[in-house]
Amino acid sequence: MAKFDVVVIGSGPAGYVAAIRAAQLGLKTACIEKNKGKAGQVAFGGTCLNVGCIPSKALLDSSHKYHEAKADFDVHGISTGKVEMDVPAMIKRKDAIVKQLTTGIGGLFQANGVTGIEGTGKLLAGKKVEVTDPDGKVTTLEAEHVIIAAGSVPVEIPPAPLDGNTIVDSTGALEFDAVPKKLGVIGAGVIGLELGSVWSRLGSEVVLLEALDTFLPAMDQQIAKEAGKVFKKQGLDIRLGARVTEAKASRGKVKVTYTQADEEKSETFDKLIVCVGRKPLSTNLLSADCGVNLDERGFIFVNDYCETDAPGVYAVGDIVRGPMLAHKGSEEGVMVAERIAGQKVTMNYDCIPSIIYTHPEIAMVGLTEEALKADGVPYNVGSFPFSASGRAMAANDTGGLVKMIAHAETDRILGCHIIGPSAADLIQQVVIAMEFGSSAEDIGLTVFGHPTLSEAVHEAALAVSGHAIHIPNRKKRK
Ligand code: FAD
Ligand code: AMP
């Protein structure tokens, strides 16, 4: 029986990062992956690299360029003639990026001495892992430590069963070979908005049906309201309080029935994307006697250090509590590998950025005004609109704002919420500041390059104490 210090089940951003870090620390490590790529080869990288973060951003970038060429170039004095799109070429480009990155993980495994194993892993009692290879051959590995990183899969809902053609999930929506004339999306969450944006920019008439009455309920509501207005202007038809009860496909169309304000309504689409969330992939993964327990929603139960109820067995990423984000899983993977190697590291769950890659991008870290109000925490807010940013004007991209929230007594930054150009990258400056326990004044005292979009972060931090220079301050202070 092959023996390892660490066996990782799953090679998504949680698993492959854990495996590489463990190997770097001198631990004999294997990582098992069952997923196959388009060419039939083992494809490491999980949801993120194969059907999630990366391919969605490839299509978001392609569709953004197309849209800019059509709608924005003339402002800059550039005329292009007729702008045409080739959807199969866009999909091919996306596939090439996926292939490069997923094979790249294989290269990183080799470089770091991780043994990549193709097959399906199952945790048995006593930290043994059974591996079934693609031909059905079963072997067993013995491990000092097991890290479970089996990830998540899209939620399916009975009213809208997937048919792989007209009714698809997020994976199917990355594979359309032509622009659907009319596209329905169930769920106006992060993934629904991103995929809806891709196809809307390419010319689809997009309707998003969202069961909740509140748009983006986890986000700061000032930012969510701003986002709602922008998306409406872009042509995304977001219907709140609309619960889908039936979706029937026939002759290449799909008729969707939903209830809104107690009224039954229906709409016919050429394609329907079901984006109602993701669920942990914890079935057929654990033997009954392995000692690992699930919580009531099917997530593997872990403590703050990602330790399961079975000694020596850890779980990280989408399969455990917390936001389903690639970077959250990767950091958990690093923490676990380092703790296995004897380092007493911990992870700061209060500083995990969350981003929606629409245009403008939406990014947040820390607490919202709503959460602070509910907890009775005193706070000050400083905001700065991109309409007052010279750099944003130069780019003809002036929508949105930066909103910084700091504790009213200590000035410690509690949260930051951005909608605007490059919000995904701007938020990271605040994440670093928060990680070091900075005050808004600390950011205010920092020198920012000019002209940059980052200056909006600087000005929002200054505005917390009424010291912004390039907008009138709501609170005037000396
Ligand atoms: P996964 O990435 O799901 O990887 C788990 C891996 O384990 C898979 O490869 C699976 O095949 C394998 N596996 C499962 N069971 C077994 C088994 N028994 N044996 C062997 N292998 C097994 N997150 C972001 O942070 N930013 C984004 O922009 C973003 N965009 C997204 C866009 C879309 C369309 C989607 C669907 C998701 C997006 N996400 C994004 C979420 C992100 O992809 C996930 O949070 C992340 O991939 C989770 O990482 P993971 O390693 O926990 O699991
Ligand atoms: P997220 O959790 O960000 O992936 O978003 C998924 C969204 O889908 C949530 O906002 C849910 O409210 C929404 N949703 C779930 N089921 C339905 C349904 N039957 N009809 C419309 N929206 C739904």
Side-chain angles (χ1 to χ4, degrees), residues 9-15 32-35 43-54 56-57 119-122 149-153 170 174 191 194-195 278 281 284-285 316-319 323-329 355 357:
I9 305 178
S11 74
I32 309 164
E33 177 55 62
K34 68 182 173 65
N35 179 50
F44 299 117
T47 304
C48 172
L49 297 193
N50 288 280
V51 291
C53 320
I54 298 298
S56 60
K57 266 82 250 177
T120 303
K122 182 174 185 174
S152 64
V153 288
S170 59
L174 300 169
I191 296 175
E194 290 188 358
L195 295 173
R278 297 181 63 80
L281 183 53
N284 301 324
L285 177 69
V316 291
D318 278 10
I319 201 156
M324 286 183 158
L325 293 169
H327 42 282
K328 173 261 191 186
I355 298 146
Y357 291 85

Side-chain angles (χ1 to χ4, degrees), residues 299-313:
F299 291 93
I300 291 180
F301 184 77
V302 288
N303 62 14
D304 288 350
Y305 311 121
C306 292
E307 293 164 342
T308 70
D309 291 336
V313 179

Side-chain angles (χ1 to χ4, degrees), residues 141-374:
L141 310 176
E142 227 178 311
E144 284 294 322
H145 307 270
V146 178
I147 304 176
I148 305 173
S152 64
V153 288
V155 167
E156 291 181 39
I157 49 172
L162 307 182
D163 63 11
N165 179 30
T166 329
I167 308 177
V168 298
D169 59 11
S170 59
T171 303
L174 300 169
E175 298 295 334
F176 292 159
D177 53 9
V179 180
K181 200 161 177 299
K182 194 160 175 186
L183 173 67
V185 181
I186 310 182
V190 178
I191 296 175
L193 286 168
E194 290 188 358
L195 295 173
S197 292
V198 166
W199 296 105
S200 161
R201 289 169 191 171
L202 297 178
S204 285
E205 185 190 333
V206 178
V207 178
L208 292 108
L209 300 167
E210 169 56 57
L212 299 176
D213 293 319
T214 310
F215 183 49
L216 297 174
M219 310 231 39
D220 188 278
Q221 283 304 292
Q222 184 189 354
I223 301 291
K225 281 201 181 81
E226 184 73 20
K229 277 192 257 169
V230 176
F231 294 146
K232 193 171 173 193
K233 231 168 140 185
Q234 290 175 356
L236 289 180
D237 180 353
I238 301 169
R239 299 183 193 168
L240 299 177
R243 175 167 292 280
V244 172
T245 51
E246 190 179 54
K248 258 194 181 160
S250 92
R251 286 193 232 129
K253 301 255 180 209
V254 50
K255 185 179 170 202
V256 177
T257 309
Y258 62 97
T259 49
Q260 196 180 28
D262 292 331
E263 211 184 308
E264 188 169 280
K265 300 180 178 174
S266 70
E267 190 97 28
T268 301
F269 301 103
D270 297 293
K271 298 268 185 200
L272 179 68
I273 315 176
V274 182
C275 289
V276 294
R278 297 181 63 80
K279 60 177 183 187
L281 183 53
S282 49
T283 40
N284 301 324
L285 177 69
L286 309 166
S287 72
D289 58 352
C290 72
V292 171
N293 291 307
L294 305 180
D295 70 15
E296 63 287 350
R297 293 183 302 157
F299 291 93
I300 291 180
F301 184 77
V302 288
N303 62 14
D304 288 350
Y305 311 121
C306 292
E307 293 164 342
T308 70
D309 291 336
V313 179
Y314 306 78
V316 291
D318 278 10
I319 201 156
V320 302
R321 84 285 176 264
M324 286 183 158
L325 293 169
H327 42 282
K328 173 261 191 186
S330 297
E331 281 312 303
E332 287 178 334
V334 169
M335 171 180 70
V336 165
E338 293 182 348
R339 289 183 73 87
I340 289 172
Q343 301 176 9
K344 293 278 171 257
V345 291
T346 57
M347 181 168 153
N348 183 359
Y349 283 90
D350 294 334
C351 277
I352 300 174
S354 179
I355 298 146
I356 310 180
Y357 291 85
T358 45
H359 192 90
E361 291 174 344
I362 304 168
M364 68 170 278
V365 62
L367 299 169
T368 61
E369 262 201 87
E370 290 74 25
L372 290 166
K373 266 189 200 134

